[in-house]
């Protein structure tokens, strides 16, 4: 019995061929959250797994691509006999020889092309230089891929065909850009698989630009001598429950963004013209006669173009020639379970836009909403709570209560005392492993802090100060409470 080896998109999602679209989506959500790059920083295996899951999801949820995939990759379970050399048809042998000759010729052509490119670019090709120098290119496409897949994910845009097409387009572009061989093929032949195209090589920059088309304002590449703008800080209020479980938070920040009318140029015709005063030099020469037959020359910044060498003849009416306007900018950020309070998340190159400088960073500060803590107080990795009990419950026991907890999977905590089991005022009960999640490496087991419950006896009637000596006399053992 021979089973043909296949590339099955059902395997990454752990579903069979009879699975419905709803079942596929459910499996994808669980696996995507498990292998998400933000939950597995630096784990290349998890990142590849995340991409593989996304690709499988794209194919299996497409009503046209899924039937074609099932037809092309259906396993063959019938017994097969491999024909001997003499039994093979002559036509098949001739076809095989032709394909081998074409393959050898293609390899020879590729080697000659690579040698020519090496002579033109130096000892290494452009992509080899990028790879050996570990340029920020890979970091940029990974960062852009993570943000845009969250933004255009079909689950976040139900019924939006444009978002669905954009999601597939981003995945296909990333599959090419993250593979060095496919990048070279696309750059050289115009096709990721190395099939020569009529138009020649593809525009590598255009494919890279797909990651930033619609994904915010985009990033400008820093030119030599061009300064970087200041970083902007913004506070994001997060509930304690979200700190505990983790959450993708959507928010808007008022920032200086590129003007959509003039595309950030500041010019109504999207063009900047050579300064007529300095002839594009950015500076002018001033002569002073200090004595007969004695002239001093000094260079000054051109007052008309302010040293830029370019001027705007027709200023944009929307931004008054500034190239930027103030408006909201949307972001999606994943808060990890156990994210420290008052910690910062840096979005590189997402500061205020301006034609005169490279944008700085946008620093998001995670602050806790103290009014949505449900009575819990977070101190490091531990949680603290004050639980009031009546005087009868304190003296005689025999009570049970359920309190709401932060965990979405186990949201109830039971507290109880048996009959005749007293509880002292200020007594602290420790629930091990019921505190905040602890941030650990991806290959370590989950760890949690502890939950400290401090019981406070509520004495009915009278002044609390007068009743205090009686309550103190009842304390047995003098259990110390934590300093909160």
């Amino acid at each position: 019995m021979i089973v043909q080896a296949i590339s099955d998109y059902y395997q990454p999602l752990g579903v069979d061929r009879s699975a419905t679209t709803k079942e596929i989506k459910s499996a994808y959500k669980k696996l995507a959250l498990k292998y998400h790059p933000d939950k597995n920083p630096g784990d290349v295996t998890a990142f590849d797994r995340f991409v593989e899951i996304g690709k499988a999801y794209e194919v299996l949820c497409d009503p046209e691509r899924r039937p074609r995939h099932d037809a092309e990759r259906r396993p063959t379970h019938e017994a097969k006999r491999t024909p001997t050399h003499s039994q093979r048809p002559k036509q098949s042998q001739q076809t095989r020889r032709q394909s081998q000759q074409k393959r050898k010729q293609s390899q020879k052509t590729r080697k000659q092309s690579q040698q020519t490119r090496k002579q033109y670019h130096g000892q290494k090709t452009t992509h080899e230089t990028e790879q050996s120098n570990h340029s920020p290119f890979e970091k940029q496409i990974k960062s852009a891929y993570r943000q845009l897949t969250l933004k255009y994910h079909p689950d976040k845009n139900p019924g939006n065909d444009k978002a669905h097409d954009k999601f597939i387009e981003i995945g296909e572009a990333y599959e090419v850009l993250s593979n060095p061989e496919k990048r070279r093929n696309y750059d050289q032949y115009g096709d990721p698989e190395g099939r020569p195209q009529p138009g020649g090589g593809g525009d590598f920059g255009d494919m890279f630009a797909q990651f930033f088309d619609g994904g915010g304002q985009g990033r400008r590449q820093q030119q030599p001598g061009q300064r970087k703008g200041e970083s902007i800080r913004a506070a994001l209020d997060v509930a304690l429950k979200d700190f505990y479980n983790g959450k993708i938070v959507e928010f808007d920040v008022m920032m200086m963004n590129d003007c959509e009318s003039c595309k950030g140029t500041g010019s109504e015709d999207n063009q900047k013209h050579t300064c007529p005063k300095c002839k594009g030099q950015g500076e002018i020469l001033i002569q002073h006669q200090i004595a007969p037959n004695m002239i001093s020359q000094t260079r000054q910044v051109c007052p008309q173009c302010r040293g830029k060498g370019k001027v705007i003849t027709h200023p944009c009416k929307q931004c008054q020639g500034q190239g930027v306007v103030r408006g909201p900018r949307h972001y999606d950020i994943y808060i990890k379970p156990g994210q420290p309070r008052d910690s910062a998340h840096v979005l590189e190159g997402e500061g205020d836009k301006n034609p005169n400088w490279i944008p700085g960073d946008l620093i998001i500060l995670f602050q806790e909403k103290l009014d949505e803590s449900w009575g819990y107080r977070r101190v490091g990795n531990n949680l603290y709570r004050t639980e009031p009990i009546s005087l009868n419950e304190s003296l005689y026991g025999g009570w049970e209560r359920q309190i709401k907890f932060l965990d979405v999977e186990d949201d109830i905590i039971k507290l109880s005392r048996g009959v005749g089991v007293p509880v002292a005022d200020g007594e602290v009960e420790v629930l091990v492993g019921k505190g905040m999640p602890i941030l650990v490496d991806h290959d370590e087991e989950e760890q949690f802090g502890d939950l400290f419950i401090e019981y406070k006896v509520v004495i009915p009637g009278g002044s609390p100060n007068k009743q205090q000596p009686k309550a103190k006399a009842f304390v047995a053992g003098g259990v110390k409470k934590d300093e909160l």
Side-chain angles (χ1 to χ4, degrees), residues 209-227:
Q210 293 184 55
F211 283 93
F212 303 102
D213 182 19
Q217 295 293 316
R219 296 184 177 91
R220 298 189 182 97
Q221 294 183 354
Q222 187 169 1
Q223 302 296 331
Q226 194 172 12
R227 71 184 183 93

Side-chain angles (χ1 to χ4, degrees), residues 324-372:
V324 290
V325 292
R326 191 165 186 83
R329 198 185 300 172
H330 185 78
Y331 291 99
D332 302 321
I333 289 183
Y334 176 69
I335 299 177
K336 302 177 183 179
Q339 182 83 32
R341 181 175 53 200
D342 297 330
S343 59
H345 183 92
V346 180
L347 298 173
E348 297 181 358
E350 292 295 328
D352 284 334
K353 311 296 179 181
N354 193 291
N356 300 323
W357 63 69
I358 297 300
D361 300 332
L362 176 59
I363 303 175
I364 306 299
L365 186 66
F366 299 129
Q367 297 181 346
E368 182 182 337
K369 292 182 181 179
L370 299 179
D371 57 342
E372 297 183 13

Side-chain angles (χ1 to χ4, degrees), residues 26-37:
S26 177
Y28 170 75
K29 290 180 181 178
K30 294 180 181 178
L31 294 175
L33 183 60
K34 179 179 180 181
Y35 293 103
H36 197 280

Side-chain angles (χ1 to χ4, degrees), residues 39-41 43 46 440-447:
K39 294 188 67 176
N40 303 274
D43 189 347
V440 296
D441 294 335
H442 64 276
D443 56 349
E444 297 182 10
E445 296 182 358
E446 289 185 328
Q447 301 179 20

Side-chain angles (χ1 to χ4, degrees), residues 384-399:
Y384 294 83
R385 179 184 178 90
T386 299
E387 189 67 24
I389 59 175
S390 65
L391 182 60
N392 287 336
E393 291 175 333
S394 171
L395 294 174
Y396 306 112
W399 56 271

Side-chain angles (χ1 to χ4, degrees), residues 19 27 61 80 92 113 132 153 155 220 241 252 254 256 271 284 293 303 310 334 376 379-380 405 409 422 428 446:
C61 286
K80 296 182 179 181
S92 175
S113 177
S132 61
H153 198 282
D155 291 342
R220 298 189 182 97
K241 180 181 179 181
D252 293 329
M254 295 298 296
M256 297 300 295
Q271 293 182 358
I284 57 177
N293 299 326
K310 298 285 185 179
Y334 176 69
Y376 295 95
V379 181
F405 191 52
E409 297 181 357
V428 176
E446 289 185 328

Side-chain angles (χ1 to χ4, degrees), residues 243-261:
F243 274 118
Y244 187 97
N245 298 285
K247 184 180 180 181
I248 297 177
V249 181
E250 300 184 18
F251 62 96
D252 293 329
V253 184
M254 295 298 296
M255 304 285 291
M256 297 300 295
N257 304 316
D258 290 335
C259 177
E260 296 181 358
S261 179

